[in-house]
Each structure stands twice: as structure tokens, then as C-alpha cells.
Amino acid sequence: MGTPVTKEQRLQEIPQKDANQRPRILIYGSIAILAIASSLFLTKSVDLAVYWYAVNGFFSGTRPAYGPASGIGFPMEYRYPPVTYLLLFPLKYLSFRVAGFWWMLAAWINGTLAVTLAIRIRGLRFTSRSVAACCTFLLAYLVLAVRYGNVQPFVIAWIFLALVLSETQPLWSGILMALAVTFKIWPILFLPWLLRRTRIRAAVSFALGLALLWLAPVTAFGATGYWALLHQWYEAVGRVGTTYSEFYYFPGQSLRGLLLRYLTPIEPPLKRFPHINILSLSPHTAVIAWVIIALAVYIFFAVQVLRADERKLWAWDGLAFVLYSLLEPYAVKSGLISLAPAVLIASCLFTQGIDRGPWNSELAVSERQAIARANALFIAACSLSFAQAILQYKPWQQYLLSFGLDFWGEVLLLTAFCLWLRTRLPCAPRADVLIGDQARGV
């Protein structure tokens, strides 16, 4: 039997527990103040206006569900699947100003919950230096996410939570991924990350959840009405997808937007932005080039993640968000909060690189060099992002956006992940090791 704990020992433990709780209280208190203040004073709800007016107009019969007259009018039309009208139905009961406050506050809650669970379940660890690097990288994207009020912060938080919970809570993981795909469609790119043995139950839950979500509108609109809405939605999305330009999303920071600007002489949708094309190919050719390159890159990384070491999956999760931001067709700067999970995980890898890389005698010289290069690339990507955030001279901003500085920062970050993953550095968080061992019957 163990030695009984005395009353004096218990009393001595209380101050230590209080001391451990103080930093958490300070952090979460600061986040709460920032969330409430930004929701009240900084949010412009530019994109939320599309959702709010679309929902109110559709259910009152004053606006069509899709087309140039939906949302707040061309080109700010409503383009999400019909089921999202049911998911956003509560907006009908709130004034636009009140809806903006609760929408942004909910985004903060979603993001904070995702980060908290990721740190707890994945065992992520940071230093003050890595936290500072993470904040400098995400500064501009966080500010833009707050100002625009797009659904993107919700979608990214849901995807991140889905990956984090995929081994321990597969049902919730599948539901969250189904919600993300329902709103944005392109998160389907994350599916190979759920096809690992330890995550296959989450993939099954995702398939069932997606099917139930997309069948739900039949009860609200009837089979005929729902089919008509699906047809209208398909036409609206198809009209955007077959527009071989950046008219709807300019200046894009993904591969598609960059190729259109670099390879075609097409006129910028906003006249004040410069021409930067180095070739004069047709827009159709540039889009086909994007499809071929994106498909080849995506297949390569999807195969790699399916073959990856179980203990490194948490690092592959971070890479997935960079890949998503690079390859999705429409990635304007205001939507690049999609990089947040990648930067969070990269900050943890950077911390491991500083602590265990250069001086670890167990690592080969080539591995130490790869870690040093990865850390340097991460800092370079952070510096690029921060420099653009503080540079407020509009002509230079317009040139850098046209040039795709955010895109090149993503490339640096992706390269850093590739270098880290080539080494034995990505130390598996304890939860992942246990899950991997259980899956192998150890």
C-alpha cells in the first residue's frame, strides 16, 4: 500500500495547482476579451451579408435561392448547396447587426476549441519564439477573417477538429468533416487523411453524415423542390467554374490564380492592379495546366500520407492544410485562415527542431541539415507574411498580391513540412503512439 497523503501535503499542493491555472486563465481571458471586442467593433460582415440576405430573402419569397439576384446581388451571389439554407435558417430570426456579433463570436469559439483540443490530444508544445513566429504568420489572415465574416473560419476549424478527433471520436470527426464539405465542397481533398486504418471509422461516419445532410432537405422542400434547387445550385457553381478568369475571386493566391496571372494577358478584374504575365497563353490553357499540375501534386501527397508512419500523421495533418490552400481553385487572401492549422503544427515542429535537431547525436548529419533548412524556411515564410501585413502602401500591396506573395509563402511552408517529414524529428504525441500501438495490437 502507498504512503497516505497527509493534510499538510494536500495544502502544499494547492498553491502549485493555482499557479498552473493562472496562465490558462490569463490566456483564455485574453482570447475572450479579444473575441468580444472584435465581434463588436471590427467585424464588417461583408460575406455574412450574402448569407443573411439570402436566407431572409429565400424564406420570405423575395429573393431566388440562386442566380444573380440571390445573396446581395451579382457578383455576391449565394453559391452554397441547398442544405446550407436549412443550416443557416437561424439567421432569419436575428437582425443583421446581432447576427454579425454572434457569427463572429461563434467563429472565435470554434477556433479556440479546435486549437485547445489539438494541443491537448496531439500534445503540441511551443516556446515563446515559436508562438511569436506563429502569430506573425497569421496576423493578416486573422484580421481579414474577422473583418469579412466568411464561413471559412468555421470550415477550417471543423476540418482540423475532424482530423484531431479522427482516432478517438470518429463519429464527431465524420460529422464535422461532413459539415465542412457541405459548405465548401473542396475539403473533400482531406478524405485520404481519413482512410488510414486508425481513422477508417471516421471516414465511414463522414460518408453517412454527408448522405444524411444532403437528404435532409427532401423533408423541407419535397423531392421535386429539392431537385430544382440542386439544379439551380449546380448551374450557379458551374457558371463560376467555367469562367476562365479571376472575376469572382481576385487576386487568387492558389495555383489557379497564379497561373492565370502569370501565363495569360487577361485584363485584371480590378483595373488598378498591374499586368504581370510572362506568357500570352489562353485562359483555358492556363486552367488546364492548373488541373494537370494540381492533380499530379495531390495524388503524390495522397499516396505518401497513405503510406506514412502512423506516428507522423499529426505532421501530415499540418501539411494537408498547406496543400489545400495551394491547390483549391479559389483562394483569396481573406480566406487564407485555412493555413492556421498548418502554421500551428509547423510551430510545434519548429520547436522540436530547435530543441532536438542540431545537437541530437542520434540524427544523421543529413537529418540535422534538413531540420535546420526546414526551420529557416518556416521563419522565412513567417517573415514574408508579416512584412506584407505591415506594408500598407497600396500600390506595393497590389503588386505583391498580383505577384502572389502569399502563394510563395505557402510554397516555403510546404517545403519546410517536406523536409521535417524526411527526418525522425516529428516526435509522435503520446496519444498518437498509444492509438497506433492499439491498432497494431501491441
Side-chain angles (χ1 to χ4, degrees):
M1 294 179 62
T3 305
V5 179
T6 64
K7 182 178 179 181
E8 289 75 12
Q9 289 175 320
R10 289 197 186 97
L11 291 174
Q12 288 175 357
E13 290 175 359
I14 292 174
Q16 182 64 33
K17 290 181 180 178
D18 290 342
N20 292 335
Q21 289 295 327
R22 285 184 200 127
R24 293 183 183 180
I25 293 172
L26 180 62
I27 291 171
Y28 286 112
S30 300
I31 292 174
I33 293 170
L34 180 60
I36 294 172
S38 64
S39 300
L40 280 172
F41 304 114
L42 297 180
T43 301
K44 301 297 182 183
S45 300
V46 177
D47 294 321
L48 176 63
V50 178
Y51 319 146
W52 189 87
Y53 281 101
V55 166
N56 280 273
F58 172 66
F59 286 107
S60 65
T62 59
R63 293 173 186 265
Y66 300 100
S70 66
I72 56 177
F74 179 82
M76 302 288 283
E77 311 165 34
Y78 192 83
R79 301 190 191 96
Y80 297 132
V83 64
T84 59
Y85 271 109
L86 298 181
L87 295 172
L88 296 175
F89 183 75
L91 292 177
K92 186 175 183 295
Y93 298 104
L94 301 173
S95 69
F96 180 62
R97 181 174 178 81
V98 172
F101 171 78
W102 287 111
W103 178 269
M104 188 47 57
L105 194 60
W108 276 102
I109 293 170
N110 267 260
T112 304
L113 179 64
V115 172
T116 301
L117 287 178
I119 292 173
R120 183 178 301 172
I121 294 173
R122 296 298 188 220
L124 304 182
R125 188 171 57 84
F126 310 95
T127 62
S128 57
R129 186 178 174 186
S130 61
V131 170
C134 181
C135 292
T136 57
F137 196 118
L138 294 176
L139 175 62
Y141 307 130
L142 181 60
V143 171
L144 289 172
V146 169
R147 289 177 66 84
Y148 277 80
N150 192 274
V151 75
Q152 182 83 327
F154 289 95
V155 170
I156 298 305
W158 295 336
I159 298 171
F160 193 30
L161 275 172
L163 294 176
V164 169
L165 299 175
S166 55
E167 296 99 343
T168 56
Q169 299 290 334
L171 177 60
W172 281 109
S173 172
I175 292 171
L176 290 166
M177 188 64 79
L179 278 171
V181 171
T182 293
F183 271 95
K184 287 288 189 178
I185 303 300
W186 286 102
I188 197 71
L189 294 173
F190 287 85
L191 184 57
W193 273 253
L194 293 182
L195 295 181
R196 295 296 301 254
R197 183 181 175 185
T198 54
R199 296 178 171 184
I200 198 67
R201 291 180 299 164
V204 173
S205 298
F206 161 69
L208 293 175
L210 192 66
L212 289 174
L213 271 175
W214 282 65
L215 288 173
V218 174
T219 60
F221 307 126
T224 304
Y226 184 37
W227 180 254
L229 285 173
L230 281 172
H231 182 68
Q232 294 169 32
W233 168 69
Y234 181 79
E235 285 187 337
V237 173
R239 186 171 63 254
V240 176
T242 55
T243 300
Y244 299 121
S245 72
E246 292 189 273
F247 179 79
Y248 291 96
Y249 302 94
F250 178 83
Q253 300 301 309
S254 65
L255 181 63
R256 183 183 185 274
L258 203 74
L259 290 178
L260 280 168
R261 295 196 299 276
Y262 274 51
L263 303 183
T264 72
I266 192 168
E267 192 73 22
L270 299 176
K271 304 300 182 184
R272 63 182 182 273
F273 280 75
H275 285 274
I276 62 167
N277 60 296
I278 55 178
L279 294 178
S280 296
L281 303 178
S282 70
H284 180 265
T285 302
V287 172
I288 293 300
W290 160 70
V291 171
I292 294 172
I293 297 171
L295 191 60
V297 172
Y298 176 72
I299 291 174
F300 172 79
F301 280 106
V303 170
Q304 296 304 311
V305 78
L306 291 173
R307 299 171 56 189
D309 185 335
E310 197 77 39
R311 292 167 295 182
K312 290 187 177 183
L313 275 182
W314 68 282
W316 280 101
D317 290 346
L319 181 145
F321 286 93
V322 190
L323 197 66
Y324 171 74
S325 304
L326 280 169
L327 300 185
E328 65 172 322
Y330 314 112
V332 291
K333 191 179 180 77
S334 60
L336 286 182
I337 196 67
S338 57
L339 290 169
V343 177
L344 183 73
I345 292 174
S347 299
C348 180
L349 288 167
F350 175 79
T351 299
Q352 290 188 1
I354 293 295
D355 289 350
R356 304 184 59 179
W359 305 281
N360 192 340
S361 59
E362 295 179 3
L363 298 178
V365 174
S366 60
E367 287 184 291
R368 297 182 206 173
Q369 291 175 344
I371 291 167
R373 291 182 187 128
N375 284 4
L377 287 172
F378 175 61
I379 292 299
C382 294
S383 301
L384 279 180
S385 180
F386 186 67
Q388 192 174 5
I390 62 176
L391 180 64
Q392 294 300 310
Y393 183 54
K394 283 190 176 180
W396 290 359
Q397 277 277 3
Q398 291 160 9
Y399 180 80
L400 293 176
L401 285 171
S402 295
F403 178 72
L405 194 65
D406 298 281
F407 172 87
W408 297 113
E410 296 167 35
V411 171
L412 291 177
L413 187 57
L414 182 67
T415 308
F417 268 106
C418 291
L419 289 172
W420 278 319
L421 285 163
R422 284 179 53 199
T423 71
R424 285 171 285 172
L425 177 64
C427 306
R430 186 175 304 144
D432 279 354
V433 173
L434 293 175
I435 291 164
D437 289 344
Q438 289 169 4
R440 290 187 295 271
V442 178

